[in-house]
Amino acid sequence: MFYKTFLIKYGEIGVKGKNRAAFEDALVKQVKIALARVDGEFHVWKEQGRIIADVLGDEGSCDYDEVIKELQTVFGIVGICPVVKAPLGTPEEIAPYVIDFLAETYHLKVDENWREKQGEELDGPEDSLTFKVHSRRANKQYPVASMDVNAYLGEKILDAFPKQVRVDVHDPKLMLYVELRDEVFIYSQIIPGPGGMPLGTNGSAMLCLSGGIDSPVAGWMIAKRGVTIDATYFHAPPYTSERAKQKVVDLAKIISRYTGPIRLHVVNFTDIQLAIYEKCPHDELTIIMRRYMMRIAEHIAKEDGCQGLITGESLGQVASQTMQSLVCTDEVCSIPVFRPLIGFDKQDIIDLSVKIGAYDTSILPYEDCCTIFVAKHPVTKPRLDVIKRSETKLDDVIDELMEKAISTTEVIEVG
Ligand code: ATP
Ligand code: MG
């Protein structure tokens, strides 16, 4: 089957009042970016609550699976409908296109005499394919009421496929959509999109991206709400390897298919970590280290014009993610910290990681800078006043170390 057009349905953005046009334009833009990754040419435009992507060129000019795969990375899309087009005409003129479409899509056998029949076929047996016709007059000039179009086409479908189909208006297996526009759009499949809102409609945020499972998923989730993202990775050479860094670059690349290009800031965190290790109580290492990470991430976020931070933390997952620990980490931040995984179980996060294609990379066994300096028994209920007092031990070195870490940050443009 050659689909000449993909009809793109969106959800929430349809209800945003006067922002609607801006949302639709953002979605059109993202659809164009996604389709630019597919061989072939497309014309993308918006019309009456829908985005339409026309394939320019004949059969074989683009790969159907590629189109679907790329459109499924576009936040804001709830459904992708591969469409066959027919010229606008009377229901009698439209019927042959509908019959062809069904015969080919559902491998049905056409009774060649269907044109002569006058709605004489009855419903097929119990186990036949149940269907319903759902027509919609997007073109209000069309002279026949939708109900009448449905009834006529329904009869003709029964005539064309005797004993193979059966009407079920309540729970049909096959819903045949017939949209009457300047041309007729015929489709029956609505392939799910990722949902969410188009990128660029909701500000930007800085993702603290490690090489683990959680943070790429967290970035994906916030981007899904229309937020563009940048990322910061803290590495600790020689304790962490080039391969560990490359893994983070690879993860940024994977999520950038959804989130758009990412500026990845790679901060050399070794000297700060060593100073903490040397001067602070070992059971507080992780929490103090995390506070310095957040301070630096916030500094870079502000420089980059980001309005918030994102982490992959989930309540109670490890010692640094207890309620008390999060209180201590948050205390150093003046911009919001988004933790979209906060209430997720690990398995839920893994499922999402697999779904977005990050999992196989996330589980590669390269060390993370946090795991090298971890204490055997980290505090799980740190007290803010105690932590602050411990941090004073760094007073004479930390400003300089922070300054150096920030000024030597490497920026990698990903995606
Ligand atoms: P992840 O699977 O994302 O690595 P995790 O379960 O290993 O998370 P932690 O190591 O406690 O948890 O890190 C919590 C969050 O802190 C991470 O999700 C990430 O947002 C951030 N983070 C941790 N280590 C780094 C790092 N080296 N660079 C940047 N951000 C980091
Ligand atoms: Mg980690």
Side-chain angles (χ1 to χ4, degrees):
M1 179 79 70
F2 173 46
Y3 298 105
K4 184 74 185 153
T5 287
F6 294 86
L7 185 68
I8 293 166
K9 299 189 175 185
Y10 48 83
E12 287 179 65
I13 69 171
V15 298
K16 292 281 187 223
K18 62 178 170 18
N19 287 334
R20 183 176 173 142
F23 274 69
E24 286 173 338
D25 290 344
L27 186 53
V28 167
K29 181 176 163 198
Q30 294 305 324
V31 167
K32 284 180 179 169
I33 290 172
L35 290 178
R37 296 194 290 258
V38 181
D39 279 342
E41 270 194 80
F42 302 88
H43 175 224
V44 184
W45 47 293
K46 59 175 184 174
E47 189 196 75
Q48 294 182 4
R50 304 268 200 258
I51 306 289
I52 294 167
D54 285 321
V55 179
L56 304 178
D58 298 328
E59 192 156 359
S61 60
C62 73
D63 181 330
Y64 171 84
D65 293 334
E66 282 288 307
V67 171
I68 300 298
K69 192 177 114 206
E70 292 302 337
L71 289 178
Q72 282 183 318
T73 67
V74 180
F75 294 133
I77 294 181
V78 296
I80 306 154
C81 314
V83 166
V84 165
K85 284 192 192 179
L88 189 63
T90 62
E92 291 77 5
E93 287 164 335
I94 296 169
Y97 293 94
V98 167
I99 304 295
D100 277 355
F101 172 85
L102 291 177
E104 202 170 325
T105 311
Y106 296 93
H107 312 293
L108 301 172
K109 195 168 162 308
V110 185
D111 180 336
E112 296 302 335
N113 300 320
W114 67 270
R115 280 167 225 268
E116 286 72 54
K117 295 186 186 173
Q118 304 287 324
E120 55 214 51
E121 290 291 344
L122 301 175
D123 275 348
E126 273 296 298
D127 61 350
S128 50
L129 178 65
T130 56
F131 79 98
K132 175 183 177 177
V133 182
H134 185 291
S135 67
R136 177 169 170 256
R137 289 188 313 159
N139 173 354
K140 298 293 178 215
Q141 312 300 322
Y142 193 75
V144 185
S146 304
M147 293 286 278
D148 296 332
V149 176
N150 293 345
Y152 178 82
L153 292 177
E155 273 184 10
K156 284 288 136 193
I157 291 168
L158 287 171
D159 284 345
F161 307 112
K163 314 241 173 347
Q164 300 166 78
V165 295
R166 191 160 70 83
V167 175
D168 180 347
V169 292
H170 300 297
D171 186 23
K173 210 165 177 142
L174 150 61
M175 182 72 100
L176 179 77
Y177 294 92
V178 178
E179 289 195 9
L180 303 153
R181 300 169 170 269
D182 294 342
E183 292 170 285
V184 184
F185 284 19
I186 303 165
Y187 61 96
S188 61
Q189 244 185 310
I190 306 180
I191 300 160
M197 299 190 196
L199 289 177
T201 57
N202 223 347
S204 63
M206 176 64 72
L207 169 65
C208 293
L209 181 63
S210 67
I213 295 169
D214 305 326
S215 46
V217 174
W220 181 87
M221 281 181 73
I222 294 297
K224 185 170 178 230
R225 301 307 298 170
V227 180
T228 50
I229 62 174
D230 283 335
T232 299
Y233 166 59
F234 296 90
H235 77 148
Y239 303 97
T240 60
S241 65
E242 269 303 301
R243 290 207 300 178
K245 173 176 150 191
Q246 186 56 42
K247 176 180 165 184
V248 174
V249 175
D250 293 344
L251 286 170
K253 179 121 191 111
I254 290 166
I255 58 170
S256 75
R257 276 187 60 225
Y258 300 88
T259 67
I262 294 176
R263 272 166 72 81
L264 173 64
H265 302 261
V266 180
V267 180
N268 185 328
F269 203 53
T270 312
D271 290 345
I272 295 178
Q273 255 183 327
L274 287 173
I276 300 171
Y277 193 73
E278 193 184 311
K279 295 173 191 283
C280 300
H282 280 194
D283 61 346
E284 295 168 6
L285 287 181
T286 310
I287 198 75
I288 294 175
M289 186 186 79
R290 295 201 51 74
R291 281 164 58 91
Y292 281 102
M293 279 187 179
M294 297 304 267
R295 287 178 172 111
I296 294 174
E298 174 167 315
H299 181 95
I300 300 174
K302 286 179 173 168
E303 277 183 351
D304 257 19
C306 295
Q307 293 118 331
L309 298 173
I310 307 166
T311 76
E313 289 159 309
S314 156
L315 200 53
Q317 198 188 77
V318 288
S320 63
Q321 298 175 26
T322 62
M323 187 67 83
Q324 292 83 352
S325 298
L326 295 176
V327 168
C328 291
T329 321
D330 255 11
E331 198 261 342
V332 299
C333 301
S334 69
I335 57 176
V337 182
F338 299 111
R339 299 183 169 95
L341 306 179
I342 199 72
F344 278 40
D345 291 347
K346 193 73 188 187
Q347 190 58 49
D348 301 333
I349 303 171
I350 290 174
D351 291 348
L352 262 177
S353 172
V354 171
K355 182 177 146 189
I356 67 176
Y359 186 70
D360 290 344
T361 304
S362 282
I363 58 172
L364 293 173
Y366 308 131
E367 70 293 340
D368 175 3
C369 74
C370 309
T371 55
I372 285 165
F373 296 96
V374 288
K376 278 213 181 66
H377 301 290
V379 277
T380 53
K381 293 182 182 168
R383 274 180 41 194
L384 188 54
D385 54 339
V386 175
I387 297 293
K388 281 179 151 176
R389 200 171 334 120
S390 301
E391 281 181 358
T392 60
K393 303 206 167 73
L394 298 165
D395 278 351
D396 50 344
V397 292
I398 197 68
D399 287 350
E400 197 185 320
L401 292 179
M402 292 261 287
E403 164 62 33
K404 187 167 166 226
I406 289 167
S407 64
T408 58
T409 295
E410 178 192 1
V411 178
I412 304 174
E413 306 280 350
V414 182

